[in-house]
Amino acid sequence: MAGAPKQRKQPTQDRSTATVEAIVEAAIRILRTDGWARLTTTRVAERAGVSVGSLYQYFPNREAIAVEIVRQRTRAFLEVVVAVDLAGVTDLQEAAHRAMAVFLAEKRRTLDLSLALRDILPEVQGRQAILEEGRLYVPTLQTKFAAVAGAPPDAARLAMALAAVEGTVWEALAQDPGVLDSPATVPTLARIFMAALGDVSS
């Protein structure tokens, strides 16, 4: 399967990094206020304070910008999971519950952006981008959960568990975004995560 669209080139200097950040932030502001239909490369460049030519150095089209937003948000979700406090936790189910709680809190914090991106994910191969980013965090999360379980989870099953949780959340958003506020959602996601993860000790 072909990977999701990526930036045309990666920034290598502070100035180019700042340009890419300005472009992404401008696109996020437009998505939040006007939605995907009003997001064009011209509007993004104007809002970012850069020329359209500068934008095209890094992003070939608006779809590539959207994918970069998806990648950045996926990394933010996984970073809070990596940072979750598991001190004193000896039960993997409890660890999963804590991980899902912080993940969901971050998801709710940027829910408007997730909703703005929801319907275009198939168009921009957003789900593929999410899976690609998730795989990069598997080794770190193996170490994180090994400290609780006494053994690292299988890498393939951990990647599958991450994908299962993310897919469930996107489906929930498609049906009823309010479900993210339900007290039952965190334990439900924890159960899905654990079911996909399987027996870590085996």
Side-chain angles (χ1 to χ4, degrees):
M1 180 183 295
K6 295 183 180 180
Q7 292 182 40
R8 182 164 274 159
K9 70 176 184 177
Q10 295 292 323
T12 56
Q13 298 177 346
D14 289 345
R15 183 176 178 181
S16 57
T17 297
T19 298
V20 169
E21 289 176 352
I23 291 168
V24 170
E25 286 303 314
I28 288 172
R29 291 197 299 272
I30 293 171
L31 276 171
R32 281 178 156 153
T33 58
D34 303 323
W36 177 247
R38 299 287 305 280
L39 191 148
T40 65
T41 52
T42 300
R43 289 194 72 201
V44 171
E46 185 177 278
R47 186 73 66 91
V50 302
S51 68
V52 175
S54 293
L55 182 150
Y56 284 136
Q57 287 182 32
Y58 300 99
F59 299 101
N61 48 44
R62 67 175 187 158
E63 287 78 11
I65 301 173
V67 169
E68 179 58 21
I69 295 171
V70 170
R71 290 183 184 279
Q72 288 190 13
R73 293 312 307 145
T74 301
R75 291 194 291 268
F77 299 140
L78 290 167
E79 287 291 344
V80 299
V81 172
V82 167
V84 68
D85 183 9
L86 298 181
V89 176
T90 57
D91 178 69
L92 194 55
Q93 180 71 42
E94 174 61 22
H97 190 281
R98 291 193 185 188
M100 294 306 103
V102 297
F103 165 75
L104 201 61
E106 178 66 13
K107 197 76 174 180
R108 285 197 301 265
R109 189 180 70 82
T110 56
L111 180 58
D112 60 335
L113 185 56
S114 291
L115 293 176
L117 291 165
R118 177 185 60 193
D119 295 336
I120 66 166
L121 283 183
E123 178 182 345
V124 303
Q125 294 182 278
R127 286 286 297 149
Q128 182 64 20
I130 291 168
L131 295 176
E132 289 169 4
E133 293 297 326
R135 292 187 197 107
L136 298 177
Y137 281 79
V138 165
T140 302
L141 289 170
Q142 281 183 293
T143 301
K144 182 87 174 180
F145 290 120
V148 175
D154 177 74
R157 292 191 70 95
L158 181 52
M160 184 170 64
L162 294 174
V165 167
E166 187 67 21
T168 299
V169 171
W170 280 110
E171 181 59 28
L173 290 176
Q175 300 298 324
D176 175 19
V179 75
L180 298 191
D181 294 320
S182 169
T185 301
V186 167
T188 297
L189 292 180
R191 286 194 296 273
I192 290 169
F193 182 85
M194 289 298 297
L197 197 61
D199 185 358
V200 173
S201 64
S202 62

